[in-house]
Each structure stands twice: as structure tokens, then as C-alpha cells.
Amino acid sequence: MSLGWSRRAPVDTLVGTETTLDFTIPLAELPRVAHELTSKDGEAKGHVRFSRQQGQAVADLEVSAQPEVVCQRCMQPMRWPVKVKSRVALVSDYDSADRVPQEMEVFLVEADSVSVRDLVDEEVMLALPNVPRHAEDNECARRKVRLPGQPDEPEDAQDLQVQKPFAQLGELLKRK
Ligand SMILES: [Zn+2]
């Protein structure tokens, strides 16, 4: 069967026909992900294959994306690389979710049908960091901006002390 990433289709059909799909989905079209992002530029690319494994309806999903998030240390936008490869069990209720083999992720299907968009939205959501930050030792520190009301950091306080002798020298010179 032909399947677009936005189209919902019955899980039984997808699994029964072992449907596969290569997709490129604009991040703006992923509802939960788009809600989290300040900039919705970019896309999620990947591949999905539906099948039955160990008696369980699954989607083998590969997704990569570079969503833009805001570093919570320097408040600058940064690209967060997402590269996921997972086997997702498609279940219709919590009882079946309990029986899913541990190595699989669980996706709760509504009304026995699912779209690739739903699956990708979920995967990218899971991959987004709660508190995004540049890695240590990169330009994050150099870009540091002080936000209003934020206390000075210790290194800044030291800078002030280093400058004091010059201020005192200035005073001495004035007295001459
Ligand atoms: Zn940063």
C-alpha cells in the first residue's frame, strides 16, 4: 500500500503488508516537537518499517534531525543532533504495553491506527534535552551573557580585585 508520513493507517494493515517508508518531515509538521522549539527550521529524515516481531506489531524506526534549541547557559541557539534507531512496539492499551519485551519502546496507538508523523514526533520528543546546553569547553563560555538580576560569577569578582590597585594608583596620582 502507499503511505504518506501524514496519513494514519490501521496498524494491522501496516504490519500485515510490512510497509516501509522513507520520509522527510519538516519539524514544523511534528506537533509536539514544534511546540517545544523556538525555531521550527529543519526536518526529520529517516526510514520506517512495520512488521510483526515476537508476536508484537512493531515499527523499526530510524530518525535523524538537527532541531534548534536554546542553550540554557548562554541563551544562544544551538543545533541539537538527534540520531535515533529504535524498535517501537505498537500497542492499543496499557495491558498489552506491560507484555512488550523490554528492549522495545512502547507507543500507545489510538483507535488502532497510526501515522509515521505520530511515531517520529514521539521519537524526536524523547531525544530532545530537558535542559539543553553547549558541551563544556566550547564557545558557550566565550559567548556568556549576563542576564539582569543574575549574580556575578566568582571569576568576575576576581577581575574586580585585580583592577583595584590601579584604581588606588589613580587616587595617588590625583593627590600629587
Ligand atoms: Zn551555550
Side-chain angles (χ1 to χ4, degrees):
M1 65 180 287
S2 84
L3 174 80
W5 52 259
S6 63
R7 186 170 149 208
R8 298 184 125 239
V11 170
D12 279 349
T13 311
L14 295 170
V15 166
T17 58
E18 302 210 335
T19 302
T20 62
L21 181 77
D22 292 312
F23 55 82
T24 300
I25 308 177
L27 294 180
E29 296 287 342
L30 298 174
R32 292 169 63 207
V33 169
H35 185 74
E36 290 294 313
L37 300 178
T38 43
S39 159
K40 292 158 184 46
D41 287 346
E43 48 202 18
K45 290 185 186 184
H47 178 82
V48 65
R49 179 173 185 272
F50 295 92
S51 67
R52 194 169 291 280
Q53 304 290 338
Q54 302 170 55
Q56 173 65 54
V58 304
D60 284 301
L61 189 61
E62 285 183 48
V63 188
S64 60
Q66 298 270 321
E68 184 180 295
V69 295
V70 175
C71 170
Q72 295 303 297
R73 196 189 291 128
C74 69
M75 306 312 287
Q76 297 296 312
M78 61 186 281
R79 293 282 168 188
W80 189 266
V82 172
K83 202 160 176 60
V84 199
K85 188 173 180 176
S86 52
R87 173 162 282 180
V88 184
L90 307 170
V91 301
S92 48
D93 56 60
Y94 288 103
D95 282 349
S96 335
D98 284 342
R99 292 193 295 270
V100 168
Q102 232 177 0
E103 67 271 18
M104 298 184 192
E105 286 179 27
V106 175
F107 185 87
L108 205 56
V109 167
E110 286 173 48
D112 295 323
S113 61
V114 73
S115 70
V116 175
R117 182 214 304 256
D118 295 343
L119 293 173
V120 173
D121 196 24
E122 172 85 2
E123 280 306 309
V124 178
M125 268 309 281
L126 290 173
L128 286 180
N130 286 330
V131 183
R133 280 183 183 174
H134 285 111
E136 306 288 342
D137 299 333
N138 77 1
E139 54 192 320
C140 187
R142 276 177 273 141
R143 279 188 186 170
K144 190 156 41 188
V145 289
R146 191 168 306 136
L147 298 175
Q150 240 185 14
D152 288 347
E153 300 200 5
E155 56 190 72
D156 293 324
Q158 271 183 2
D159 284 347
L160 283 177
Q161 278 180 356
V162 169
Q163 282 166 9
K164 260 185 188 166
F166 294 102
Q168 284 166 350
L169 187 64
E171 284 301 306
L172 285 173
L173 290 173
K174 262 190 230 165
R175 281 186 214 159
K176 278 196 170 175

